Amino acid sequence: MPTTDPYARSYRCWQNAPLSCDRPLKTAEEVPNAKFCLECGFPATLPKQAEIRGSRDIYRITEFVRSQGMGRLYKGVQISDGKPVVIKEYLLPSRYFNAEEAQQRKDKFTQIAGISSVNNQSPDFRLLMPWEAIADRQGDRCYLITLGNIAAAPNLSQVLQQNGAMSPERVRDLLTQVLQTLQFLHAQKFRLPSGQVRGGMAHGNLCLESLIATENSYIYTCDLAAWERLFDPPPNTFSIPEPAQDLVALGYVAFYLGLGRAQEPTSERSPDPRNVQLWSKTDSALREFLYHLLGLETPFPSAEAARQALLQLPSTKMATTAAPRTFESKIGRRQLLWLVGLPLLLLGGLLWLVRSQFNREEAVDFTEFQRLVPSFNDLNTIVAGRYPYTAERDSTWTTVVGKRPLSNRPLNDILTLPRMDIAAEFNYIKPKFPGSPLKAVTEQNNQANFAITSLIDKLPTSLNSEQIGYDGLLVFVPAYKAQNLPAALQGKISLDDLRKIFTGQVKNWQDLNPNLPNLTTKPYRPLEPEALQIFEKIVLNNDPEAIAKFRQIKQRSTFQTLRAIDFAEQQGQQLEAGTISFGTLVQTWDQCKVFPLDLVQGNAKPVQALLRETTDNKLVPITPADNLCQEKKPFPNVEAYRQRTYPLGFPLAIVYPNDNSLTGFKSAPMFADLLKTRDGQFLLQQTGLVPLQSIPRNYQPSMSFL
C-alpha cells in the first residue's frame, strides 16, 4: 500500500522521504559520531559498533538493514553471548515532538512494547514479539529488540517489488499462515511489564511491510500498532484497533500480492478491489473468499472462522477464473452473468463432454503438498510439555495409532515423541468407555487436551476443530470368483439400494435386480460407533424409522466379517457369497478378498474410493476385473474426498477447547502442525487415511522417525 513519509514536511530531504533516504546513512558512515544528516538535519542512522544498553543485556549494532514502518532496522548481537538480534530504532525528532510529548511516548513504549505472553510455553505462531523495549533517556530515540535474525528478512513489500504477482496457491498459503497468527493474537492473554494481564489484542498495523517472508516460506508478523503508532507525529489520533480491521487489512495484502502491485502505475493511489478488471488472474473460489475478508460481502466474524473457510476452499485446479461480480446495481450483476457466465457455462459443458470420452485417470497436481513444511524437525511451533489426548472408543484413530506405516514402530510411538530435540510428549489415552470424548476435552482438559474424531457436526461454540485428513466408509462384498457378486453389480451400488438392504426390505439380491445372482442378502452392521453414526446420517438420512430397522440387522465386527469371508474361500465354501457390509477406510482399504463398491448418490456418476496404478504409471479406479491380491496396495482417490463426490467420505479432525487458558488451546494446533507436514500426511496415508492433498507416489519421508 502506498505510504507517505510522515517526517517529509519538516525536513528538506532531496528524496522527500527522510526516514527511507540514504543520506542519513552516508552521513553516519562518513562523519564519526554524527547525530544528524548533513543535508536536511534528520536524525542520522546508528553507526556500526554502536552499543545500546538495556535492562536485559547490552546490544551492539553490526549493520543497517532498511527503514520499515515508523523506524529503521539494524542487525546486532547481544554482548553477553554474541547471539544475533534485530534492533528497530524509533525516532522522536524535536521538530515534531516537544519534551513532554516525547517523554509520554517513551513511557508508553516501555510499558506496551515490553509485553509478553502469559503462557511462556505457548508456540509463537510466527508472531515476532519484542525481547526488550528501551527508551533512550538522554536522546530522542527508542529501541525494540527482537531475538534472532527473522525480523531482518525481506518484508512482503520487498518481495512484491522483486518477484511481482504471487500465484493463487502461494496467496492461499500466506493467508492460512497469517490467519493462524491472528487467531492466536486475538485470543491470547498478554502480560505487561507492570504485571497487568490484558486479553487478546488486534494487530492494527497489518500491511505488506509488517509481514516478513523467510527463506523456508514462513510468513512472520511484526510491528503491532500498539507501539508502532506511538511514533506518529502529532496530532496523534490513534485509537485502539479492532480484530475485524486486521481481517480487512489482510484482505488488501492478499489482493495486492495476487495483483502484483500495491500502487497504480499512473498515480499514487492504491488499486481498488471493487474494480472487477483487477481480479482476472484470481481463481473464483479465492476471489469469493477475499470479497468476504475485505468486507465487500458478509464479513467473517473472526480470524478462526476465516481460516476454516479458507481451508474448505476447492483447490486452485478445480476453481475457475470466471469473471468476478461487480459491486454496483442488481441489474448490472444480471447482465454480467448473462454476458460472461453463459458462454463460460457452455464452454464448461463442452469440455466436460470431451473429457468424458477419455480415460477416467486425471493428472494430479502436487503443488499443495510441496508447499507443506517437510518434516517434524522443520516445525518451529513445537514446545516442550506433556499433552494427553483421546478419541472415541473403537474409532478410526484407535485403529490408526496401532498401525506400522513404515517400519516396526507403531504410529503411536512415532507421534508420542515426534522430536528428539524437544521434550514434547503427545500421549494417546485410549478411552475405557464408549461415548463422545468431547466432554473430557471441555471439562477435564488437563487429562485430555484434545480429541481426534470425525463426528464434528454441530460442535458447540466452546470447541474448535482443525482437519488433519479424511476417512470414509467402504461398502464391500466378497470377491469370490464362482459367485462373482462384484461383477454382477458392475462394481457399484446406489445409496437407495443400500438403504433397502440395511433396513430389511431386501432378502435376495434378485429383489434389487433379476439379473443378479440368486443369493440371500446377508447384511452385517459393524460394531464401530463412528461407522454406524456416519451410515445412519448419510445413507439413512437420520430417519428414526429407518434407523430403528437398521439396528435390527445382525452385528459383526469388520475384522470378523473380513476373516469369515477369507476363511470360507480357503475352505472352498461359498457361505459368505451374499454378504454385504461396510467399514471404515483404515480397516478395509488394503483387504483383497473383498471388493469395495463404487457408490452412486441420486443421479450422480458412480465414484470409487480407491485407485490402482497401471503399467504406464497412471492411477485409475479399481474394477471387479482387477485381481487386487496381485496388485500393489491401492491409493486413495484424494480428489473424490476433497471435492466431496464420494458420498461416504468425511473429515477427520482435531477438536480442542476455544479457551486460551486451557492447555489444549495450544497443544492441539501443535499436534495438527505435525500431522500436516509432508511426513505427517504421508504417515496418515500409509495407515489408510486420505491426506488433505495428493502425495507423489515416489515421495520419500525423512529419516527422523525410521
Side-chain angles (χ1 to χ4, degrees), residues 364 366 369 638 678 681-682 685 691 693-697 699:
V364 181
F366 301 114
F369 181 75
V638 177
R678 292 181 205 164
Q681 291 287 284
F682 178 78
Q685 179 171 289
Q693 59 287 301
S694 296
I695 300 175
R697 279 167 273 165
Y699 177 72

Side-chain angles (χ1 to χ4, degrees), residues 340-350:
V340 179
L342 184 59
L344 286 173
L345 183 64
L346 293 173
L347 178 60
L350 178 61

Side-chain angles (χ1 to χ4, degrees), residues 92 102-110 135-137 139 142:
L92 293 165
Q103 189 59 48
Q104 288 175 347
R105 282 158 176 77
K106 288 181 181 182
D107 294 342
K108 189 75 171 177
F109 176 70
T110 54
D136 188 340
R137 295 180 181 179
C142 292

Side-chain angles (χ1 to χ4, degrees), residues 325-354:
R325 70 187 70 182
T326 66
F327 295 92
E328 300 171 1
S329 68
K330 294 182 179 180
I331 296 177
R333 293 186 185 187
R334 292 196 189 100
Q335 290 173 337
L336 185 63
L337 175 64
W338 283 104
L339 292 174
V340 179
L342 184 59
L344 286 173
L345 183 64
L346 293 173
L347 178 60
L350 178 61
L351 289 174
W352 180 85
L353 288 172
V354 172

Side-chain angles (χ1 to χ4, degrees), residues 19 24-25 28 42-50 52 59-68 71-77 84-91 141-146 148-149 151-152:
L19 191 59
L25 175 63
F42 190 72
T45 56
L46 299 173
K48 290 182 180 180
Q49 304 304 312
I52 301 167
Y59 309 94
R60 179 180 294 133
I61 300 291
T62 57
E63 66 175 294
F64 172 76
V65 179
R66 64 174 178 268
S67 63
Q68 179 171 294
R72 299 187 290 213
L73 294 182
Y74 304 83
K75 287 184 179 180
V77 295
V85 295
V86 175
I87 302 163
K88 185 161 187 180
E89 171 198 30
Y90 292 100
L91 304 171
R141 309 180 193 221
C142 292
Y143 308 100
L144 195 71
I145 312 299
T146 307
N149 280 327

